[in-house]
């Protein structure tokens, strides 16, 4: 049952009364479309399926399979993402031509849908700072980033106010704000139970706080994408209008195809182009409820004043250490290798100095690619290296397992040793790497991380 005051509030959205009724029926039905976005760095050929119209990598599935029982899900070959959210891909493609490396902040990032999308479309020489303020959620975000395996992301666990230390640092900031979740009513009945007009007011105030905390970190001329999964104007257009009244904002042109079913709108600014907003209604698009606005920070002088670093994190590697890890990389000439404590990490050379600036100022949980430790010049590889898209497969024997055996590996069970080569093996299923296993004579040591293992299935 939808809350009566929610139904009443729909009259403010601009939808006519017939559409409001259809929307309420749709929200009550409980049938949600299932969509996934594949990882082009791990799967070269586009899979079969109906495409999500505004995304190059997204497509719909006819039914919801058990993703946990699909080894490719654990290999980061695809991410299960609600289709409307994939519109961020269209925004990025409309604004950035891929020619230059970008500094991107995804401020409210867990569990990682938009961060993995941004990391994919931004290119490997860009950096995505995927931030999540709630620690337990930030840990899940880090798991998903490692699984996606691109190496151009830093996962941070900071309050939005901490980004003041990075004045004018980012080219693009996405604020996928915590909201009252009206657009998720059919997908998540809990959102319906927690909804109230007071919750809407609280969310709107918190969103304004988040926006003002992070605004200074955006460079003049940079882009802010503000989004929610709710319909009310307070958390959406009214917050965008509040931003335009208090900060120098201007609109940006984004084309959309009328057949997509997205409802376009505008929020006026005092003397610049109006800010375009996009509304996704589940009765009109094949996706959940979603709102987003694309705002350019009006021009001005870019200041490059960074706060003093809080600490030094990285230590450089020796030539000998580099020689030991290079064979594990398809394109080692693109990489910069560095120590954090005893562990070796790999970063794209172009992004390394940005990664360092972030690591010295924020609370970083994970960044780049964790490679492992060297013992007498021999690498003991860590799990994220197995999932790195540019791991050189010829560096190590591959154990290609059938689906059932691969699932047993993911349950951290023993694997028949005759399937393995003596020493370290890269476990794969249908060509996609899942992790490491070591054969020592007649026994094997399953090195899949125990905190990731599939349980009870
Ligand atoms: N962008 C994510 C994705 O696509 O997978 C979903 C983000 S979810 C809509 C909003 C996130 O904001 C949640 O992970 C939540 O923990 C976080 N959050 C909650 N309170 C916050 C606050 N005060 N400041 C910043 N983020 C907050």
């Amino acid at each position: 049952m939808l809350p009566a005051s929610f139904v009443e509030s729909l009259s403010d959205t601009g939808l006519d009364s017939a559409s409001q009724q259809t929307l309420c029926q749709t929200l009550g039905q409980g049938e949600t479309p299932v969509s996934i976005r594949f990882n082009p760095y791990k799967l070269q050929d586009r899979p079969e399926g109906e495409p999500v119209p505004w995304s190059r990598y997204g497509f719909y599935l006819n039914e919801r399979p058990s993703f946990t029982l699909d080894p490719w899900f654990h290999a980061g070959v695809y991410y299960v993402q609600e289709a409307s959210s994939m519109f961020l891909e269209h925004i990025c493609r409309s604004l950035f031509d891929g020619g230059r490396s970008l500094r991107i902040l995804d401020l409210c990032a867990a569990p990682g849908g938009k961060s993995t999308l941004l990391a994919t479309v931004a290119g490997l020489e860009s950096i995505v700072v995927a931030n999540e303020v709630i620690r337990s959620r930030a840990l899940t975000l880090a798991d998903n980033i490692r699984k996606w395996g691109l190496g151009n992301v830093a996962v941070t666990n900071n309050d939005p106010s901490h980004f003041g230390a990075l004045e004018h640092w980012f080219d693009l900031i996405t604020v996928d704000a915590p909201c009252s979740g009206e657009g998720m009513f059919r997908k998540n009945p809990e959102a319906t139970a927690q909804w109230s007009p007071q919750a809407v007011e609280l969310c709107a105030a918190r969103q304004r706080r988040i926006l003002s905390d992070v605004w200074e970190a955006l460079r003049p001329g940079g882009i802010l994408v503000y989004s929610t999964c709710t319909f009310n104007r307070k958390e959406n257009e009214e917050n965008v209008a509040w931003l335009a009244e208090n900060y120098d904002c201007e609109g940006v042109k984004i084309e959309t195809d009328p057949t997509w079913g997205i409802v376009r709108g505008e929020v006026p600014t005092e003397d610049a182009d109006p800010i375009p907003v996009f509304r996704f209604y589940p009765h009109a698009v094949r996706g959940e409820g979603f709102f987003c606005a694309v705002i350019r920070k009006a021009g001005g002088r870019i200041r490059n004043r960074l706060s003093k670093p809080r600490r030094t994190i990285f230590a450089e590697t020796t030539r000998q250490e580099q020689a030991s890890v290079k064979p594990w990389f398809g394109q080692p000439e693109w990489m910069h290798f560095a120590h954090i404590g005893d562990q070796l990490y790999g970063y794209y050379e172009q992004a390394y100095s940005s990664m360092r600036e972030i690591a010295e100022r924020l609370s970083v949980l994970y960044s780049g690619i964790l490679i492992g430790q060297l013992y007498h010049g021999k690498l003991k590889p860590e799990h994220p290296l197995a999932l790195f898209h540019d791991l050189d497969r010829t560096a190590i024997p591959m154990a290609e397992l059938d689906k059932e055996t691969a699932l047993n590996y993911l349950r951290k069970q023993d694997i028949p040793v005759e399937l393995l080569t003596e020493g370290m093996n890269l476990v794969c299923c249908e060509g996609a790497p899942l992790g490491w296993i070591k054969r020592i004579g007649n026994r094997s040591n399953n090195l899949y991380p125990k905190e990731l293992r599939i349980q009870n299935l």
Side-chain angles (χ1 to χ4, degrees):
M1 219 6 213
L2 299 173
S5 38
F6 161 71
V7 177
E8 273 167 39
S9 75
L10 287 178
S11 56
D12 294 339
T13 57
L15 283 179
D16 61 40
S17 55
S19 303
Q20 288 172 40
Q21 238 180 357
T22 322
L23 171 61
C24 289
Q25 277 162 5
T26 312
L27 290 176
Q29 268 166 6
E31 273 281 305
T32 64
V34 185
S35 47
I36 62 177
R37 183 171 42 75
F38 72 92
N39 186 340
Y41 289 93
K42 296 197 175 186
L43 192 66
Q44 265 74 45
D45 298 326
R46 199 194 155 86
E48 301 275 297
E50 190 189 333
V52 173
W54 42 84
S55 163
R56 197 176 285 175
Y57 307 126
F59 62 98
Y60 296 101
L61 303 183
N62 293 330
E63 53 186 12
R64 177 170 287 272
S66 167
F67 290 114
T68 311
L69 293 181
D70 179 7
W72 273 19
F73 172 72
H74 303 276
V77 173
Y78 61 86
Y79 190 97
V80 183
Q81 186 175 37
E82 188 285 298
S84 306
S85 300
M86 297 181 198
F87 188 63
L88 181 59
E89 183 185 329
H90 177 71
I91 296 174
C92 290
R93 285 193 199 291
S94 306
L95 297 176
F96 306 108
D97 59 10
R100 56 179 280 244
S101 54
L102 298 170
R103 289 168 168 183
I104 300 176
L105 169 61
D106 187 16
L107 184 67
C108 311
K114 303 214 175 46
S115 301
T116 52
L117 183 157
L118 289 165
T120 309
V121 294
L124 298 174
E125 290 173 350
S126 294
I127 168 176
V128 177
V129 178
N131 178 70
E132 169 58 44
V133 67
I134 298 174
R135 189 170 168 86
S136 56
R137 291 178 60 81
L139 295 173
T140 306
L141 171 65
D143 284 341
N144 285 332
I145 294 300
R146 284 187 277 265
K147 198 158 89 171
W148 201 244
L150 300 199
N152 56 354
V153 181
V155 178
T156 59
N157 175 214
N158 284 88
D159 186 85
S161 60
H162 298 169
F163 287 88
L166 293 159
E167 190 186 16
H168 293 183
W169 205 82
F170 291 100
D171 302 296
L172 168 66
I173 297 183
T174 55
V175 175
D176 192 29
C179 69
S180 58
E182 295 160 359
M184 292 289 154
F185 279 178
R186 81 173 156 173
K187 196 175 178 192
N188 174 11
E190 253 175 52
T192 323
Q194 285 166 5
W195 188 92
S196 69
Q198 294 78 6
V200 168
E201 297 287 349
L202 280 172
C203 284
R206 181 168 57 184
Q207 289 150 356
R208 289 197 292 273
R209 217 164 43 236
I210 294 173
L211 287 170
S212 60
D213 276 344
V214 83
W215 185 255
E216 270 308 292
L218 184 64
R219 72 164 167 83
I223 301 289
L224 173 79
V225 180
Y226 172 71
S227 59
T228 71
C229 57
T230 210
F231 302 121
N232 69 75
R233 290 181 64 86
K234 285 194 166 64
E235 296 177 69
N236 294 330
E237 285 86 351
E238 288 183 24
N239 270 352
V240 175
W242 171 86
L243 194 74
E245 272 161 33
N246 289 282
Y247 300 93
D248 269 345
C249 300
E250 56 194 30
V252 191
K253 275 213 169 46
I254 307 276
E255 306 289 338
T256 50
D257 184 326
T259 63
W260 293 352
I262 301 167
V263 177
R264 299 184 60 123
E266 280 181 356
V267 170
T269 61
E270 200 157 289
D271 43 26
D273 288 341
I275 295 165
V277 301
F278 305 87
R279 284 178 162 263
F280 292 67
Y281 290 109
H283 66 279
V285 298
R286 203 165 155 202
E288 296 307 303
F290 184 63
F291 167 92
C292 71
V294 187
I295 303 152
R296 177 175 280 128
K297 185 171 186 167
R301 210 164 60 81
I302 301 181
R303 286 185 297 269
N304 281 317
R305 277 190 322 231
L306 275 184
S307 65
K308 279 226 156 53
R310 284 163 48 190
R311 54 187 172 256
T312 306
I313 301 285
F314 297 116
E316 291 307 320
T317 46
T318 63
R319 271 173 192 274
Q320 218 173 7
E321 287 170 329
Q322 290 164 21
S324 302
V325 296
K326 277 182 174 174
W328 296 73
F329 286 78
Q331 248 123 359
E333 65 279 12
W334 290 3
M335 306 303 292
H336 187 106
F337 302 108
H339 279 283
I340 302 181
D342 291 337
Q343 296 283 12
L344 280 162
Y345 281 76
Y347 298 92
Y348 282 98
E349 186 67 65
Q350 283 255 9
Y352 177 66
S353 63
S354 296
M355 286 282 185
R356 209 180 52 224
E357 288 178 1
I358 289 294
E360 288 172 348
R361 285 163 184 85
L362 295 171
S363 168
V364 175
L365 297 184
Y366 183 75
S367 63
I369 293 297
L370 170 58
I371 300 172
Q373 253 176 289
L374 287 171
Y375 295 93
H376 306 295
K378 196 161 185 275
L379 182 71
K380 178 171 179 284
E382 287 286 343
H383 182 66
L385 181 62
L387 296 196
F388 180 47
H389 75 101
D390 195 30
L391 170 75
D392 187 333
R393 309 272 193 96
T394 59
I396 200 122
M398 226 165 78
E400 170 68 39
L401 305 183
D402 62 44
K403 188 175 164 197
E404 268 322 301
T405 318
L407 286 171
N408 286 340
Y409 169 76
L410 295 168
R411 294 181 182 110
K412 217 167 157 50
Q413 294 173 357
D414 286 339
I415 300 302
V417 284
E418 55 279 14
L419 298 175
L420 309 173
T421 307
E422 185 67 17
M424 193 65 80
N425 293 244
L426 178 70
V427 174
C428 296
C429 183
E430 291 182 78
L434 297 172
W436 307 113
I437 194 165
K438 191 169 184 183
R439 176 174 173 176
I440 311 142
N442 280 335
R443 61 186 184 83
S444 66
N445 191 4
N446 183 333
L447 296 169
Y448 196 67
K450 69 173 178 304
E451 61 283 4
L452 297 181
R453 75 181 185 278
I454 306 179
Q455 286 167 309
N456 307 324
L457 277 169

